[in-house]
Amino acid sequence: MRLAFSLPILAAIGLAGATAVIWLQMKGSVPETIQGILDQNLPGNTLKMAYLDLPISAAIPLVGPAKSGGYFMIERKGGSPLAGTCAATTIDYEVRAAGNGRLAVSIPGPELTKALACQ
């Protein structure tokens, strides 16, 4: 009888642990990918990603959405603050599972335009 109660608890603990590991891996790789997108798509890019919002739901295996969204904030590569509305600008992005444990990160065109206006 105890075994029947402990198996679901162990499964929940395992799922929570797997989610945490996946989320930490994503938290490490998504910023580099976003910076690469900014550098490749903004001519003479002077911006860098300053803050990343990555929802935990993006990392839940099998249960979470195949596509998840979040936002990031930018600052100048030299560290100087952005002025005006750019100081509080958030830029949306999407993360999708791409198979083989890989992720696809995309920033919609209008969001890149917002970043370009802040250069």
Side-chain angles (χ1 to χ4, degrees):
M1 191 67 146
R2 287 185 183 183
L3 183 62
F5 289 119
S6 14
L7 286 178
I9 292 170
L10 289 175
I13 291 170
L15 181 62
T19 299
V21 168
I22 292 168
W23 187 77
L24 288 172
Q25 289 173 341
M26 290 174 73
K27 194 80 168 168
S29 65
V30 170
E32 294 171 10
T33 304
I34 288 175
Q35 187 63 49
I37 292 171
L38 292 175
D39 290 341
Q40 290 175 4
N41 291 290
L42 301 177
N45 183 34
T46 60
L47 304 173
K48 71 176 182 175
M49 193 197 67
Y51 171 80
L52 175 74
D53 171 62
L54 180 66
I56 193 74
S57 63
I60 300 174
L62 306 174
V63 179
K67 177 175 83 170
S68 183
Y71 68 90
F72 63 94
M73 297 178 82
I74 52 176
E75 65 183 12
R76 298 212 184 280
K77 285 185 178 178
S80 62
L82 295 171
T85 59
C86 289
T89 295
T90 59
I91 299 171
D92 297 330
Y93 72 94
E94 294 178 350
V95 177
R96 294 184 180 128
N100 296 332
R102 302 186 95 184
L103 300 170
V105 178
S106 66
I107 303 172
E111 298 300 310
L112 277 174
T113 303
K114 284 191 330 190
L116 183 60
C118 291
Q119 285 207 107

